[in-house]
Amino acid sequence: MAVHFKQAAIVGVGLIGGSLGMVLRGKALADHVVGIGRREENLKTAVEMGAIDRYVSDPKDGVRGSDLVILATPVDTYERHLKEWAHCLEPGTIVSDVGSVKGSLVERSEAVMPPGVHFVGAHPIAGKEKTGVAEGSAHLFKGARCIVTPTKKTDPQALERIKRLWEETGSILLTMDPHLHDQILGAVSHLPHAAAFALMIALADMRDHRLSSLDLARHSGGGLRDTTRIAASSPEMWRDIFVWNRDNVVPLIDMYQRALDELKRLIAAGDAAGIERIIERAKREREKLNDPVAVAT
């Protein structure tokens, strides 16, 4: 039997929140979907696209009477949001999220839940570099991984309902400890974003201070575009991800810098055999990502 909610409230109707709303409404998984956000223009677009039935600007008005609340705002806002309106929730309500950082955020979210209200962490790995509900789609999650991050405090029935919700989106479910999630996603998602951001800054500095004739748009090919596509991601979202997962991201950047330093050393020494060995190893590892049974996305 498909999971069903009386009213779902989505706090932050952007790409992920809006796409989830389209699934909730399109598959009749909720009788009513209310959007909560700051920008009326975006919320009107969400109504037009079928992501929500109506919208409100005051979160307390939106969460009252909801038996499902989805936090789809930057992770740094979670605690503020929950302290503002969690007391409005009725026993039995499930609060979940779509954030890219879990760890202590899950624990802190659990700690502010009123009696009988359940928090279940979730992370659909289905984003794009473009944001906003206008980029959303009911098919966004199909075939993508969604990691649910229960703890010892997680209510089993609430966990099962959130799992079934994400199965309805077409996601492939994984279950993971919240802190392990942050270690793994730090490596396969947060570090690549940091590398892409840093590469674009380095190229811009090179153009502005050393090579004024460099035109990044006109001179670049597919390699640069493929490598830096994710550098066009939301600054607000990634600021918060880096801050909240810094205990994992900083050591990972150190490891990446050591790998760059080794490649730099080999290039400076003209060590052709050493350079080839590194590239061959990188090639083998990259080819593994094409394996359809690979776990990481």
Side-chain angles (χ1 to χ4, degrees), residues 248-270:
N248 291 306
V249 173
V250 170
L252 289 166
I253 290 175
D254 287 339
M255 294 181 70
Y256 180 52
Q257 287 179 321
R258 286 196 291 272
L260 277 176
D261 286 343
E262 176 61 10
L263 181 58
K264 175 183 173 182
R265 184 188 68 78
L266 293 170
I267 293 171

Side-chain angles (χ1 to χ4, degrees), residues 175-188:
T175 302
M176 196 176 293
D177 172 83
H179 294 280
L180 178 60
H181 166 280
D182 288 358
Q183 294 171 18
I184 291 175
L185 269 293
V188 301

Side-chain angles (χ1 to χ4, degrees), residues 14-20 23 98-100 122-132 135-147 166 169-172 181 185 189 193 229-230 233 237-238 296-297:
L15 171 68
I16 301 296
S19 296
L20 182 57
V23 177
V98 298
S100 297
H123 176 202
I125 308 175
K128 301 178 181 178
E129 68 274 15
K130 295 183 179 180
T131 58
E135 297 292 329
S137 165
H139 305 292
L140 180 68
F141 309 108
K142 189 172 179 61
R145 271 69 174 180
C146 180
I147 303 175
W166 284 106
T169 70
S171 295
I172 300 167
H181 166 280
L185 269 293
S189 176
H193 277 79
R229 174 184 60 81
I230 54 178
S233 299
M237 181 178 76
W238 280 96
T297 299

Side-chain angles (χ1 to χ4, degrees), residues 185-262:
L185 269 293
V188 301
S189 176
H190 306 170
L191 177 61
H193 277 79
F197 295 141
L199 177 55
M200 286 308 307
I201 293 300
L203 289 169
D205 285 347
M206 185 184 303
R207 176 200 61 207
D208 295 343
H209 302 296
R210 296 190 61 182
L211 189 58
S212 59
S213 60
L214 175 62
D215 185 329
L216 294 176
R218 188 161 64 93
H219 295 152
S220 62
L224 180 62
R225 284 172 165 73
D226 290 345
T227 304
T228 61
R229 174 184 60 81
I230 54 178
S233 299
S234 164
E236 183 182 32
M237 181 178 76
W238 280 96
R239 172 201 67 201
D240 291 350
I241 289 171
F242 288 147
V243 169
W244 278 92
N245 200 26
R246 61 186 180 273
D247 288 346
N248 291 306
V249 173
V250 170
L252 289 166
I253 290 175
D254 287 339
M255 294 181 70
Y256 180 52
Q257 287 179 321
R258 286 196 291 272
L260 277 176
D261 286 343
E262 176 61 10

Side-chain angles (χ1 to χ4, degrees), residues 94-97 106 118-122 148-150 154-155 158-159 162:
I94 300 172
V95 180
S96 190
D97 76 315
V106 171
H118 313 296
F119 185 86
V120 182
V148 291
T149 57
T154 304
D155 179 80
L159 174 62
I162 291 299

